[in-house]
Amino acid sequence: MKFLDQAKIYVRSGDGGDGVTAFRREKYIEFGGPDGGNGGRGGDIIFEAVPNLNTLIDFRYTQHFRARKGGNGAGSDRTGAAAQAVVIKVPIGTQIMDDDRETLLADLDEAGKRITLCRGGDGGFGNANYKSSTNRAPRRSDKGWPGEERWVWLRLKLIADVGLVGMPNAGKSTFLSVVSAARPKIADYPFTTLHPQLGVVRLSMTEEFVIADIPGLIEGAHEGTGLGTRFLGHVERCAVLLHLVDGAAGNVVDTWRTIRHELEEYGGGLAEKPEIIALNKNDAMTPQEASARRRALEKASGAPVVLISAATHQGVPELLRTIQNKVTAIRQEERDNAS
């Protein structure tokens, strides 16, 4: 299945049914009077977040969604049938943006969350509604109210606990494949990851977290260089950032500063998120190189640096335990603040 995290679609709710002008005419019934019924309500456009979707690929092939019109009224005071709502199912974490791509209309960040984006038009009144003591035979009936229509953008932001960031070829895909059942593409050239990957890390029967690997960032990504910062939205909801630095590249401090600069330029609160720094590819460095580069990175970042090798699994279990403890503490704090 292809990954698609943005889509533009057109939605239109149904028009209301028309009211009718009718009079009761039956044998032996004198002064039958008006009995035109009201029109039915048009169908709504509803978005619902469901847990079994993880891409917006369906909206590449279907971009127009229209609800049906409400039924027209009829004689004998019969009201037209209300049209069924059109329920559009989207992945959890989908944001609905206005056509300007800036105004947020809804954020479906929980399973089962629903939003009525376009309300169906109300049905028009039949002439029976206008009967009064002074107007015994009204001939007025109304058309149904029109529905609402708009173009909207759907933007998917994956729900993950840990966001995996770093330069291309830092070993992010290898790390994800080692700690989870995910099988991303792994190769010895940059930008092997072209779209975000999710992996579930299980440390025990009761402890697990979701990690999101996004395509690598390079200098100037906030200006569109490389793959740009398009996929950084997928780590906006993360509790922790895991910054993987390629220790074998040598210039570890410059590499770390480059990614930090891109996170700050992107905004979205990413630069303020807790960061765990891991110096990867320890197996490709001598002990002296690993020690020197680790100290330099700790001095520049002001934070402890974990030395690991994703290929040989060295230091990975200890790193996962650190991540789990951090994620658990942050999620608990969020729950306490919400209550």
Side-chain angles (χ1 to χ4, degrees):
M1 178 184 294
K2 288 188 176 182
F3 182 85
L4 187 69
D5 63 346
Q6 292 185 18
K8 185 179 183 180
I9 64 173
Y10 170 83
V11 291
R12 193 186 196 287
S13 58
D15 297 337
D18 301 333
V20 299
T21 299
F23 292 90
R24 185 177 184 182
R25 294 183 178 88
E26 296 182 41
K27 193 175 182 181
Y28 307 122
I29 297 180
E30 193 176 12
F31 308 118
D35 66 351
N38 300 333
R41 192 165 176 271
D44 296 333
I45 297 291
I46 299 174
F47 286 85
E48 179 182 8
V50 295
N52 59 339
L53 295 176
N54 55 15
T55 176
L56 300 175
I57 188 65
D58 292 341
F59 300 100
R60 171 170 290 179
Y61 310 106
T62 305
Q63 290 99 18
H64 296 80
F65 297 86
R66 295 181 176 88
R68 297 178 66 89
K69 176 185 176 182
N72 295 332
S76 302
D77 282 324
R78 288 176 292 178
T79 300
Q84 287 189 340
V86 172
V87 180
I88 304 174
K89 296 182 179 181
V90 296
I92 301 172
T94 300
Q95 291 183 331
I96 305 175
M97 315 290 290
D98 202 0
D99 194 23
D100 59 8
R101 304 184 72 170
E102 295 181 358
T103 306
L104 179 64
L105 303 177
D107 190 359
L108 305 178
D109 56 354
E110 297 178 2
K113 192 171 183 179
R114 292 165 66 108
I115 179 72
T116 301
L117 189 68
C118 294
R119 185 177 179 274
D122 293 326
F125 290 131
N127 67 331
N129 187 75
Y130 294 104
K131 181 176 65 176
S132 68
S133 59
T134 58
N135 188 3
R136 306 299 295 173
R139 285 171 170 76
R140 173 184 173 182
S141 60
D142 298 333
K143 290 282 189 180
W145 288 90
E148 300 174 343
E149 62 178 342
R150 65 195 316 164
W151 284 91
V152 295
W153 279 90
L154 304 182
R155 184 184 182 192
L156 175 60
K157 292 184 178 180
L158 296 176
I159 303 296
D161 299 303
V162 181
L164 190 56
V165 298
M167 296 281 279
N169 269 10
K172 301 188 300 300
S173 297
T174 301
F175 179 83
L176 184 66
S177 67
V178 166
V179 302
S180 72
R183 291 296 174 263
K185 182 179 180 181
I186 300 173
D188 59 353
Y189 53 85
F191 297 113
T192 54
T193 300
L194 298 178
H195 55 76
Q197 300 276 351
L198 283 181
V200 179
V201 180
R202 290 185 175 88
L203 297 186
S204 67
M205 294 294 293
T206 59
E207 292 180 309
E208 68 177 33
F209 58 87
V210 179
I211 188 167
D213 171 26
I214 66 168
L217 300 174
I218 61 176
E219 185 176 0
H222 67 281
E223 298 173 344
T225 305
L227 294 177
T229 57
R230 171 183 170 183
F231 297 112
L232 277 180
H234 294 289
V235 296
E236 285 185 21
R237 304 180 193 271
C238 296
V240 178
L241 294 180
L242 175 58
H243 190 162
L244 222 58
V245 180
D246 183 358
N251 53 345
V252 294
V253 174
D254 292 341
T255 299
W256 174 80
R257 285 175 175 163
T258 297
I259 299 299
R260 291 299 303 177
H261 176 69
E262 298 305 324
L263 295 178
E264 292 169 0
E265 290 296 326
Y266 175 82
L270 291 185
E272 290 74 38
K273 286 186 177 294
E275 180 188 40
I276 297 175
I277 304 174
L279 190 60
N280 193 21
K281 303 185 181 180
N282 184 39
D283 57 307
M285 296 182 286
T286 65
Q288 294 77 14
E289 289 175 337
S291 178
R293 292 169 186 175
R294 181 180 184 179
R295 287 197 305 269
L297 194 53
E298 287 180 335
K299 182 178 179 181
S301 64
V305 176
V306 182
L307 195 61
I308 70 167
S309 172
T312 64
H313 301 195
Q314 178 186 354
V316 172
E318 295 79 5
L319 175 60
L320 296 181
R321 172 49 58 189
T322 301
I323 295 172
Q324 179 68 70
N325 294 341
K326 192 74 171 178
V327 169
T328 301
I330 292 175
R331 293 307 191 201
Q332 183 60 48
E333 182 179 352
E334 291 176 351
R335 287 191 290 269
D336 293 341
N337 293 336
S339 59

